[in-house]
Amino acid sequence: MIEIKEVNDKDSLKAFVMFPFELYKGSRYWVPPLIAGEMKTFDPAHNPTLEFCQVQLILAYKQGRIVGRLALIVNRRENELLGQRKLRFGWLDFEDDPEITRALFDYATRWGREHGMEYMEGPVGFCNLDKAALLTEGFEELSNTTALYNYPYYERHLLACGLEHCTKWVEKEMIVPEQVPEKIRRFSTIIKERNELSVPDLRSKRAIRRYIPQVFDILNQTYCTLENFVPLTPGQQEFYAAKFMDVIHPDYVSCVEDKEGHMIAFGVAIPYMGTALQKAGGHLLPFGWYHILKALRSNDRVELLLIGVLPKWQRKGVTALIFDEIMQKFIDNHVVYVETNPEQEQNASVQAFWKEYKNRLHKVRWTFHKRIE
C-alpha cells in the first residue's frame, strides 16, 4: 500500500530534497545538487519564478519509508501567455516498483484535474532554464551538472502509467582538436570583416556582468519562436544570472558585437562540476568548496551551457566567430572534452555545427506527456 503525503513544512521539504541521495547512493553516474541550493529553489523568498507558479510537492511512502517524490507545477504566466492548460511535473524519482509510480501519477492526475489542467508534461522544472527531460540512453555516462540523471527503469514506468514520448533531446561529447579547424577560422575571419564585427576580450567576471542584461535580451529573442518558450521576467533573469555566475569561467564566455558596440550573439560554457559535486556530497562545508574551487580552476572537461544569436543575425555565420574564439580558449586551457547541453534533435542548425569536430552521441532524453481526463 502506497501512501501519498503533501510536502507542507520545512522538515518534509528537506525529506523531499534528500530522497535522491538515498535512492542513488553508490551510483557512479548521478551528480548530487547542493542541498542548500535545492532548498532555496522551492523558497519564494529566493526564487522569483514561484511568484506565478502554483506548486505541490508530494512524497510516496511504503511501510513508513519514503520511496518516491514528484513536483507538480502550474506556471500561470506560461499558461496565460501561450493559451494552454499544462501541468508541469518534475523532480521525479522513485524506486523500481510500478505501484509507486502509479500512485504518484494518479495523484498528479487528480491534482491537475482539480486545477483545471488539460494535460501534463515532464520531467521539467519551473521554466525553460531548469533541468528537464528523462534520460533514456547513456546511463553509464557521468551526468552533466545542469542535466537530470535517472535509472533505466524510469522510462518503462512512465509508459506503463499511460504517458507518451513528447520531445527528443540529444547530448554529444566532442574531442577538442589540437587547433581550431582552418575551415572555421577562415570562415569566421570573413564573417567578421564583411560585417564589421568584433569579439570583446572578457577577462573577468566583472567584465562579464555588464553584459548580462544583453545576454538575456538575446536569449529571449533567440528562442521566442520555439514552442512553449516564454521570455524570462527581470526577476528570473537576476535569479539565474546569480546561479550561473558562481560557476562561470571568464575564458569560456564569448560574445560578438556589431560595429556600434551592441552585442548580437554570445556563447557560454562552464567547467564540468560533476565530479566535484560528487565529492562534495551536497555540502559546501567542510570541504565541498575546495573540490568545487579546484574544478573551476583546473579541468579537462567543460559543458556548453547557452548560445544565443539575435534573429536578424542568424544563419549568417556568427556562430563561427563564437566557437572560433571559445574553442581556442579550450585549447589554451588544456580542455580535452566538451559536452553539449541537451538539444532538441530537430535543431538541425546546431546539429550540423558539431560535424566539424570529432564527436559522439552519448545521451538521449525525452520529455513525456499525457492528457488529463
Side-chain angles (χ1 to χ4, degrees):
M1 176 73 177
I2 305 300
E3 182 182 8
I4 301 296
K5 294 183 180 181
E6 297 180 350
V7 171
N8 52 21
D9 57 29
K10 190 171 182 179
D11 288 341
S12 56
L13 175 59
K14 185 68 174 290
F16 182 91
V17 168
M18 294 304 298
F19 173 64
F21 285 81
E22 180 65 28
L23 183 66
Y24 294 102
K25 184 184 294 183
S27 171
R28 296 167 52 193
Y29 310 109
W30 179 67
V31 172
L34 290 174
I35 295 167
E38 282 289 274
M39 294 291 286
K40 288 180 179 179
T41 296
F42 298 104
D43 185 347
H46 291 93
N47 188 349
T49 309
L50 295 175
E51 295 175 7
F52 45 82
C53 283
Q54 188 169 357
V55 182
Q56 181 60 68
L57 309 181
I58 58 174
L59 289 166
Y61 287 78
K62 185 175 185 178
Q63 299 177 346
R65 184 173 61 87
I66 297 175
V67 292
R69 70 171 188 170
L70 182 62
L72 306 173
I73 304 162
V74 175
N75 186 321
R76 295 187 300 273
R77 180 170 178 266
E78 174 189 54
N79 284 346
E80 290 170 2
L81 289 175
L82 298 180
Q84 63 186 17
R85 295 182 181 180
K86 179 172 74 175
L87 170 65
R88 288 173 165 257
F89 69 85
W91 286 270
L92 172 66
D93 288 293
F94 48 86
E95 294 184 0
D96 191 5
D97 180 347
E99 188 181 3
I100 299 169
T101 324
R102 282 196 302 270
L104 288 169
F105 281 100
D106 283 349
Y107 183 98
T109 298
R110 291 193 302 271
W111 194 88
R113 187 187 303 122
E114 290 169 1
H115 289 80
M117 299 298 102
E118 295 180 343
Y119 69 101
M120 65 176 73
E121 185 177 321
V124 293
F126 297 112
C127 73
N128 296 329
L129 285 187
D130 291 326
K131 296 179 182 180
L134 195 79
L135 186 66
T136 57
E137 296 179 32
F139 301 104
E140 295 184 354
E141 303 277 350
L142 269 172
S143 179
N144 284 12
T145 311
T146 55
L148 296 172
Y149 181 82
N150 54 265
Y151 288 127
Y153 62 79
Y154 277 41
E155 180 182 22
R156 170 168 47 86
H157 281 234
L158 265 62
L159 293 173
C161 287
L163 286 96
E164 299 177 342
H165 293 93
C166 181
T167 303
K168 185 178 181 180
W169 304 74
V170 296
E171 295 176 46
K172 293 186 177 181
E173 179 189 72
M174 292 180 291
I175 304 297
V176 176
E178 293 183 1
Q179 60 184 19
V180 178
E182 182 59 30
K183 177 181 177 181
I184 297 294
R185 178 135 296 171
R186 187 167 57 248
F187 183 58
S188 64
T189 300
I190 293 172
I191 296 300
K192 184 188 296 185
E193 294 176 352
R194 178 184 297 166
N195 296 282
E196 300 181 73
L197 304 177
S198 61
V199 179
D201 190 8
L202 303 175
R203 293 182 178 272
S204 68
K205 288 190 176 182
R206 177 180 295 181
I208 293 169
R209 282 192 179 94
R210 72 184 183 90
Y211 284 98
I212 288 176
Q214 295 182 67
V215 164
F216 280 105
D217 180 56
I218 292 175
L219 190 68
N220 284 338
Q221 292 191 55
T222 299
Y223 297 104
C224 66
T225 58
L226 293 181
E227 183 180 2
N228 293 330
F229 180 79
V230 174
L232 299 175
T233 66
Q236 286 178 293
Q237 293 178 21
E238 291 181 15
F239 174 74
Y240 287 104
K243 183 176 180 179
F244 291 124
M245 279 302 293
D246 288 340
V247 291
I248 288 293
H249 190 306
D251 275 357
Y252 304 154
V253 179
S254 177
C255 65
V256 180
E257 295 180 333
D258 62 17
K259 61 182 179 182
E260 282 81 31
H262 301 136
M263 184 193 292
I264 64 168
F266 73 90
V268 180
I270 60 174
Y272 178 72
M273 306 302 296
T275 305
L277 287 169
Q278 286 181 329
K279 293 177 180 178
H283 302 278
L284 282 175
L285 298 175
F287 302 114
W289 64 269
Y290 168 78
H291 298 299
I292 292 172
L293 185 61
K294 184 178 179 181
L296 285 169
R297 290 180 172 176
S298 179
N299 207 320
D300 70 348
R301 183 180 293 269
V302 299
E303 297 178 40
L304 291 174
L305 187 62
L306 288 170
I307 184 169
V309 181
L310 285 176
K312 74 180 221 177
W313 286 96
Q314 292 174 10
R315 294 179 294 278
K316 294 184 178 181
V318 175
T319 52
L321 273 72
I322 294 173
F323 284 98
D324 180 8
E325 163 100 357
I326 209 166
M327 198 63 71
Q328 184 59 56
K329 290 179 177 179
F330 293 160
I331 295 169
D332 294 342
N333 283 279
H334 309 292
V335 173
V336 179
Y337 305 101
V338 179
E339 293 196 39
T340 68
N341 251 6
E343 301 163 345
Q344 290 190 27
E345 186 181 44
Q346 66 265 33
N347 193 338
S349 59
V350 172
Q351 300 305 313
F353 183 80
W354 308 134
K355 292 179 180 179
E356 301 297 330
Y357 300 95
K358 184 179 179 181
N359 69 82
R360 69 183 179 103
L361 174 65
H362 69 142
K363 293 173 190 169
V364 176
R365 300 178 179 277
W366 283 89
T367 51
F368 293 76
H369 62 181
K370 179 184 179 180
R371 288 201 60 81
I372 296 175
E373 299 174 343

